[in-house]
Amino acid sequence: MTAYQLGPLLYEGKAKRVFQTDQPDLLAVEFKDEATAFNALKKAELAEKGTLNCRISALLFEHLQHSGVPTHYLGVQGRHWMLVRPVRVIPLEVVIRNVAAGSLCKQMPIEPGTPLDPPLLDLYYKDDAYADPFLSEARLERLALVNSEQRLELEALARQVNTVLLELFARIGLQLVDFKLELGFTADGQLVVADEISPDTCRLWDLDVDDDKDRILDKDRFRQDLGGVIEAYGEVLKRVQGVIQGPSMYG
Ligand code: TMP
Ligand code: ASP
């Protein structure tokens, strides 16, 4: 075990706390049990959610890394701690949609469940104070968060993540409907996938279930008051564990 000392709290978000450590190239992320939706208008404490999301995310990051996708992930520790490389996160939510659902169906005339080929890539400005608004091309340019080369690189990386995860989830009977990524730059300028990839940040439908509510295995169960949130997340972890060994303990 590579020993490290936990340092001060650097940042607290809705689902995680990020701590410095005594090593400059290492941050410790604690996954919380709190669940929020609709920019935290809806909140609950769901026992075990932190552990489930930490494990699922760790396994998905390990699979991405083995597939050649760089991420901030270094390993896990205990039940709900993940060790990561420090990254300057770009304040963009990169959403890839393979199937129409969620906000897309509220904002334009498209039936939920409509396949999207090629997948849609939507960019949102990540700032709770503005409720993470959708960005037009003109607004994206005006914000100047990334240059045109970085924009191409981040879209290509997000699409690569989609290709890898679509295939992985299909193997375990899950439709990856859509998901949100956060990307950032490491100290040496490498673009990597950061944050988490879990049923909080993905829509996952059970391919063996037809009912449009029963098939939901992600945070929509919480958003829509469907119950069985933790059971659904547990089912996702169980299936992912069936095809990916790990996660690796840090150190
Ligand atoms: P949306 O349909 O609400 O735009 O969500 C698209 C995807 O992004 C869905 O998989 C849920 C995920 N998401 C987040 O991870 N965080 C957020 O704050 C929002 C709004 C969506
Ligand atoms: N993550 C956002 C929130 O906490 C929105 C969502 O996932 O629905 O409010």
Side-chain angles (χ1 to χ4, degrees):
M1 171 73 60
T2 309
Y4 67 88
Q5 292 291 321
L6 209 56
L9 177 69
L10 207 57
Y11 167 82
E12 177 154 12
K14 293 189 288 265
K16 296 183 291 299
R17 290 187 191 95
V18 181
F19 292 84
Q20 269 176 346
T21 70
D22 58 350
Q23 299 176 24
D25 52 355
L26 187 71
L27 299 178
V29 181
E30 182 186 19
F31 282 66
K32 304 194 284 186
D33 283 343
E34 274 99 321
T36 68
F38 314 116
N39 204 13
L41 284 176
K42 180 170 177 157
K43 286 188 202 170
E45 179 93 4
L46 299 175
E48 289 302 303
K49 186 179 80 90
T51 297
L52 289 163
N53 277 354
C54 183
R55 295 259 162 93
I56 294 166
S57 228
L59 290 169
L60 296 178
F61 280 140
E62 290 186 13
H63 180 65
L64 286 169
Q65 290 185 170
H66 287 138
S67 309
V69 176
T71 82
H72 68 159
Y73 173 82
L74 294 171
V76 292
Q77 201 175 55
R79 294 175 62 73
H80 56 243
W81 288 90
M82 182 180 285
L83 287 309
V84 302
R85 288 191 280 167
V87 160
R88 183 171 60 79
V89 176
I90 306 162
L92 285 175
E93 299 202 334
V94 184
V95 171
I96 299 233
R97 302 175 190 276
N98 296 303
V99 174
S103 68
L104 183 70
C105 302
K106 294 203 178 93
Q107 292 165 0
M108 58 184 261
I110 186 164
E111 273 301 304
T114 308
L116 301 165
D117 189 17
L120 271 187
L121 189 153
D122 288 333
L123 297 175
Y124 297 80
Y125 180 45
K126 184 178 164 56
D127 189 329
D128 284 345
Y130 296 95
D132 301 341
F134 179 79
L135 287 175
S136 65
E137 283 298 323
R139 289 182 189 196
L140 188 63
E141 210 170 298
R142 166 80 216 190
L143 276 171
L145 300 170
V146 286
N147 63 34
S148 50
E149 200 182 308
Q150 292 167 332
R151 164 83 184 279
L152 287 177
E153 200 191 342
L154 78 84
E155 294 204 355
L157 191 59
R159 289 192 185 275
Q160 194 187 348
V161 170
N162 188 42
T163 303
V164 173
L165 293 186
L166 260 178
E167 187 276 332
L168 174 81
F169 284 124
R171 261 198 279 152
I172 53 175
L174 297 175
Q175 167 73 60
L176 177 60
V177 173
D178 57 27
F179 63 97
K180 181 265 301 185
L181 290 181
E182 293 179 28
L183 305 172
F185 294 103
T186 58
D188 55 4
Q190 188 186 20
L191 184 68
V192 301
V193 180
D195 193 51
E196 68 178 280
I197 307 177
S198 73
D200 268 12
T201 63
C202 301
R203 284 196 174 89
L204 294 165
W205 292 348
D206 190 333
L207 283 164
D208 289 333
V209 177
D210 286 331
D211 183 85
D212 63 358
K213 299 258 185 287
D214 293 347
R215 68 185 174 187
I216 295 172
L217 293 176
D218 57 67
K219 196 159 101 174
D220 273 350
R221 298 205 72 82
F222 174 68
R223 295 189 187 97
Q224 299 176 30
D225 289 321
L226 298 175
V229 182
I230 289 305
E231 291 76 5
Y233 285 37
E235 177 63 23
V236 172
L237 176 60
K238 195 177 86 185
R239 292 197 200 187
V240 174
Q241 278 172 331
V243 288
I244 307 174
Q245 303 293 314
S248 319
M249 292 298 137
Y250 175 75

